Amino acid sequence: MGVLEKVTEPSHLRALSEQELTDLAREIRDFLVAKVSRTGGHLGPNLGIVELTLALHRVFDSPYDRILFDVGHQAYVHKILTGRQAGFDVLRQRGGLSGYPSRAESEHDLIENSHASTSLSYADGLAKAYLLRGEDRHVVAVIGDGALTGGMAWEALNNIASVKDRPLIIVVNDNGRSYTPTVGGIADHLNALRTDPRYERVLDLVKRSLSRAPLVGSPLYDVLHGIKRGLKDVMAPQGLFEDLGLKYVGPIDGHDRPQIEQALDQAKGFGGPVIVHCVTRKGNGYEIAEQDEADCFHSPSGAFDPLTGTPVAAPALKWTNVFRDELVEIGRQRSDVVAITAAMRHPTGLDAFADEFPDRFFDVGIAEQHAVTSAAGLALGGLHPVVAIYSTFLNRAFDQMLMDVALHRCAGTYVLDRAGVTGEDGPSHNGMWDLSILQVVPGLRIAAPRDGARLRELLREAVAVQDGPTVLRFPKGAVPADLPAVERQDGVDVLVREGEHDVLLVCVGAMAQTGVDVAARLTEQGIGVTVVDPRWVKPVNPVLLDLARTHRLVVSVEDSGRVGGCGAALGVALADAGITVPLQVKGIEQRFLDHDSRAALLAELGLGAQDLARDIVERVARIDDAPLVTGDHDPLPRS
C-alpha cells in the first residue's frame, strides 16, 4: 500500500514521517502523469507545486484556514490531498472532477474562478471579514508570477499593504511562466533573482536563518529581508514588495518542503501581511515536461503516451492553426500589422507571427485591459493591431473596448479564440458571453467564420477595415471541412435553399453545419427551408431582413447567449423594419454550464440538429394556414 492511498484528508499529512512525505511527493507526480495522460488537463503547473501544496496543508488547517489558488491551474495536488483522488479517472468530464477548484466538489474550495490575478482581492476581503467577525482564521493566497502581471493583483497589494495587523499570507509560486515565460518588468525583477550567480547562497542563507530563528517578529524579518541593505541588491523582488510595506520571506526553494514549512510557520505567526516567495520549476519531476520548451506540458489537450509525451490520437487541424498561418501571410504582405497577446503566445496561435516578426509582436502579460487599450494606442499611431485573446478573457476588457477603442474609432482586429461552448474547461472558460456583451459597442463589426476558408477570408476582410474595430470569433477544437455556399447575397452566404420559402434558418459561425443538418430533416417533413450564414453578424445585414419578408418563420441559431446576442439583435432589426414574421431565437440560456464536451453541452442545450429540427417542426405546425406576412409563396404545409 502506497503512502498516497493513506491520505484522504489534509490532517493525515501531519502524521507522516519525512521519508513518507518524500515518497508521497513522488507518488503524487506518478499519479498526475498517469491520470492526465488519459484525460488531458493541466499537468506542468501541478508537477511544479507538489512540495509547496504539501507544506501548505501541513502548516494550515484547511478548510478552517482558507487556501485560495489563483487561476486554479495548479490545484490538482490540492484536490488529491482533500479526498478527490477517485474523480481523476473522469477529470474534466461529466460526473468527474472540474479542472479548477470547485465549490460543488469540496468544502476546501472557496473560489472556483479560472481568470487570473483575482486571488489577492478575494483574500483581502476575506481577511477583513474574519477580522471584523473576530475569527482567528488564516487566509493564504497562492499566486503565480504570471498572475502578478495582472493589474488587479497590484490594486489588491496596494490595499493589503495599507493595514499592518491584518493576517494574510501571500505565497508567490514563481516558476517564471504562466503558459509561457512570464514577461514584463515584474518578471524581470524575479528573473534577476533566479539567474543571479549568488542565488544559491541566498537560498542557503534564508534556510539557515529560518532554522535558527526561535521567535517571530520584526528581528526575524530584518534577517530575512537581506541582512539589512547589503543583500537587498541581490534580492531584487524584495525591494519591490518592501516598498509597498509588505514583509517579505524568500527566496525559498519551492521543492524543499521542510524549508517551505519553516517559512510558512514563521509567516503564520507574524500577524500581518507577508509575502512568501517560492521558486519552483514547472513540470518538475517529469523529464518530458521539463524539456518541453513551448509550455512545459502546461495543458495537454488529450490523451498522450506518458513514456514519450506524444499524443495518442493524430492531431487534428485546429481553428487556431488556420488563424496562425493566415496571420503570418498577412504580416508578410502588410508591414503595418502588429500582434498582441496577453501571456498566450502559443495558445492563441501568435507564436509563428512572433517568430517571423519579433519587432511587431507584443506580449503584455496577463493584462487584457492593458492589451486592448495599448492596441488603441498602436492604432492611433498608424498601425493595425491584431489582438488574440480567449473569448472568456475579453470580458475583463469590456470598458476598454467601449471607451478606449470604439469611442475613438480605433482600427484593430480582436480575434476571440475559444468562443462559444468550450466544454471541458468548465463555466469560467466558456466563451458564451462575447456576442451579448459586444452587441452594445457602437461601430464595432463582428465576424463569425463557419470553417477554415471563411476564417481566412474574414480575417483579411477584418484587417482591411480602417474606420473602426472588428472582432473575429471562432470556437475551440478541430476545424470542420469547408462548407461551400450555393450563392452569396451582398455578403450573406446562402448554404441551402430547398422547397418553398417556409423557414429561414440564420446560423452564426460554427453553427452553420448544424443548420445544414437541420435543413435536411425539415425537407424530409415537406417543409421548405433556406439556410444562411451572415458571416458578419454585427451589424445586422439588411439582406437578412429582405429574406425574412419572404419566409413564414425565422429561426436564429448561435452558440452564444440568447440575451442580447445575434438573434436578439435580429429581432430588434425586424421590429424596426415593421416585419412581423415570427422569430425563434436559439442560443444558450444565461447560466453557468458544467464541464463536459462541447457536443454534449450543445445537445443538452437543445442546440443539436435533432432537437432543433423537432422544435421547428412543432412551431410550424402551430402556424395558421393563412399567410402571416405578404410574400409570394403558397400556404405553409402542415406536418
Side-chain angles (χ1 to χ4, degrees):
M1 182 178 183
V3 183
L4 182 56
E5 297 175 63
K6 302 176 185 177
V7 178
T8 58
E9 61 179 66
S11 62
H12 295 163
L13 296 172
R14 301 184 191 106
L16 299 180
S17 67
E18 286 297 315
Q19 184 58 54
E20 287 175 316
L21 288 165
T22 299
D23 292 342
L24 177 59
R26 186 192 69 252
E27 291 178 23
I28 288 174
R29 286 192 168 91
D30 291 344
F31 178 91
L32 287 170
V33 172
K35 298 299 183 182
V36 177
S37 69
R38 298 189 190 110
T39 64
H42 291 102
L43 182 58
N46 289 286
L47 293 171
I49 201 173
V50 174
E51 289 81 9
L52 175 52
T53 309
L54 288 171
L56 285 166
H57 278 295
R58 278 171 55 83
V59 172
F60 297 99
D61 182 21
S62 177
Y64 186 76
D65 293 332
R66 288 301 192 178
I67 303 173
L68 312 179
F69 288 91
D70 205 289
V71 181
H73 289 163
Q74 73 279 44
Y76 289 7
V77 184
H78 165 75
K79 289 175 182 263
I80 291 170
L81 299 178
T82 52
R84 287 173 270 179
Q85 296 176 28
F88 278 88
D89 289 328
V90 280
L91 175 67
R92 302 166 72 242
Q93 300 170 29
R94 174 76 65 172
L97 289 182
S98 165
Y100 297 95
S102 170
R103 292 163 62 92
E105 287 178 7
S106 174
E107 62 181 342
H108 295 276
D109 294 358
L110 184 62
I111 58 174
E112 55 188 85
N113 71 310
S114 56
H115 288 197
S117 312
T118 61
S119 65
L120 302 188
S121 295
Y122 279 118
D124 177 54
L126 198 58
K128 289 173 182 173
Y130 290 155
L131 195 63
L132 288 172
R133 291 168 59 90
E135 299 181 22
D136 184 18
R137 304 171 71 173
H138 295 282
V139 180
V140 185
V142 183
I143 184 169
D145 57 295
L148 275 179
T149 63
M152 188 173 174
W154 290 90
E155 293 174 19
L157 282 171
N158 182 56
N159 280 269
I160 290 168
S162 67
V163 180
K164 307 304 180 186
D165 62 349
R166 186 182 303 140
L168 196 162
I169 297 94
I170 301 167
V171 177
V172 177
N173 176 29
D174 175 16
N175 61 22
R177 289 173 170 267
S178 49
Y179 283 83
T180 49
T182 309
V183 298
I186 297 165
D188 290 343
H189 273 284
L190 297 177
N191 188 57
L193 170 62
R194 284 186 241 106
T195 58
D196 193 285
R198 295 164 289 180
Y199 168 58
E200 293 299 332
R201 296 201 301 274
V202 175
L203 287 179
D204 183 63
L205 172 63
V206 173
K207 185 173 183 176
R208 286 186 283 108
S209 299
L210 281 167
S211 62
R212 289 199 307 263
L215 301 173
V216 173
S218 295
L220 168 67
Y221 286 94
D222 285 340
V223 174
L224 298 179
H225 271 198
I227 314 301
K228 302 295 184 181
R229 307 300 295 183
L231 194 57
K232 186 173 181 178
D233 291 335
V234 178
M235 296 169 56
Q238 171 209 312
L240 186 69
F241 295 121
E242 188 182 51
D243 289 343
L244 284 172
L246 292 166
K247 296 300 184 182
Y248 173 92
V249 179
I252 308 295
D253 182 347
H255 302 295
D256 185 334
R257 183 195 45 75
Q259 184 184 357
I260 302 169
E261 288 184 22
Q262 289 177 327
L264 291 176
D265 269 324
Q266 302 292 0
K268 180 179 178 180
F270 181 67
V274 182
I275 297 275
V276 179
H277 179 193
C278 296
V279 179
T280 62
R281 293 179 296 278
K282 193 172 182 179
N284 186 64
Y286 182 44
E287 186 176 1
I288 292 171
E290 291 177 353
Q291 296 180 354
D292 178 32
E293 294 184 2
D295 62 4
C296 295
F297 263 47
H298 177 86
S299 180
S301 58
F304 63 90
D305 183 339
L307 297 179
T308 65
T310 56
V312 171
L317 180 66
K318 303 293 182 63
W319 288 90
T320 308
N321 301 133
V322 177
F323 163 68
R324 172 192 288 117
D325 295 341
E326 193 64 20
L327 184 63
V328 170
E329 289 299 319
I330 291 172
R332 290 170 181 161
Q333 297 163 17
R334 285 185 50 179
S335 61
D336 65 320
V337 170
V338 297
I340 302 175
T341 184
M344 289 188 172
R345 168 177 169 166
H346 290 277
T348 59
L350 291 183
D351 51 312
F353 188 96
D355 291 341
E356 185 156 345
F357 311 107
D359 293 340
R360 292 155 56 188
F361 169 75
F362 307 99
D363 185 344
V364 301
I366 302 179
E368 291 84 4
Q369 293 172 305
H370 169 63
V372 171
T373 302
S374 178
L378 286 163
L380 291 170
L383 300 177
H384 189 100
V386 175
V387 184
I389 298 177
Y390 284 7
S391 171
T392 183
F393 297 141
L394 187 70
N395 301 350
R396 315 185 84 180
F398 170 74
D399 182 68
Q400 287 70 29
M401 283 292 295
L402 181 66
M403 294 299 177
D404 302 339
V405 174
L407 177 63
H408 298 91
R409 299 180 182 176
C410 292
T413 299
Y414 297 82
V415 177
L416 306 187
D417 200 331
R418 290 155 170 79
V421 174
T422 56
E424 292 87 354
D425 282 329
S428 61
H429 263 56
N430 284 312
M432 54 181 280
W433 317 102
D434 58 332
L435 292 179
S436 298
I437 291 172
L438 296 176
Q439 284 288 348
V440 304
V441 179
L444 177 66
R445 303 168 204 179
I446 303 175
R450 65 180 180 270
D451 55 29
R454 257 45 63 177
L455 194 162
R456 289 185 287 269
E457 178 181 74
L458 288 168
L459 177 60
R460 287 186 174 273
E461 292 180 18
V463 298
V465 174
Q466 296 299 326
D467 61 350
T470 57
V471 165
L472 180 73
R473 75 185 299 268
F474 52 81
K476 177 183 179 181
V479 63
D482 286 347
L483 181 59
V486 297
E487 69 172 287
R488 178 168 291 178
Q489 296 184 14
D490 293 333
V492 173
D493 279 353
V494 179
L495 306 180
V496 175
R497 182 182 284 113
E498 293 287 347
E500 302 297 326
H501 291 184
D502 298 328
V503 177
L504 173 65
L505 199 54
V506 181
C507 297
V508 173
M511 300 306 293
Q513 182 60 61
T514 300
V516 172
D517 296 340
V518 170
R521 288 171 165 81
L522 295 181
T523 55
E524 289 176 357
Q525 299 292 320
I527 298 173
V529 59
T530 304
V531 179
V532 298
D533 168 16
R535 297 173 63 256
W536 287 93
V537 297
K538 181 183 185 303
V540 174
N541 193 316
V543 170
L544 299 180
L545 306 184
D546 294 338
L547 289 169
R549 286 189 177 94
T550 62
H551 286 76
R552 299 286 307 283
L553 173 67
V554 178
V555 180
S556 69
V557 183
E558 59 194 294
D559 60 345
S560 189
R562 294 179 70 247
V563 176
C566 296
L570 177 58
V572 171
L574 290 171
D576 288 347
I579 300 171
T580 58
V581 59
L583 169 67
Q584 278 190 303
V585 177
K586 296 292 186 178
I588 302 172
E589 58 183 279
Q590 312 301 130
R591 65 179 175 89
F592 296 109
L593 306 177
D594 292 333
H595 57 277
D596 204 345
S597 69
R598 174 180 165 88
L601 286 172
L602 289 175
E604 175 190 324
L605 293 163
L607 294 176
Q610 182 174 345
D611 287 333
L612 286 169
R614 182 186 305 114
D615 288 349
I616 293 170
V617 169
E618 291 175 356
R619 180 62 181 265
V620 166
R622 293 196 299 268
I623 296 177
D624 292 336
D625 287 339
L628 297 179
V629 295
T630 301
D632 298 324
H633 54 76
D634 296 327
L636 187 67
R638 309 296 286 181
S639 60

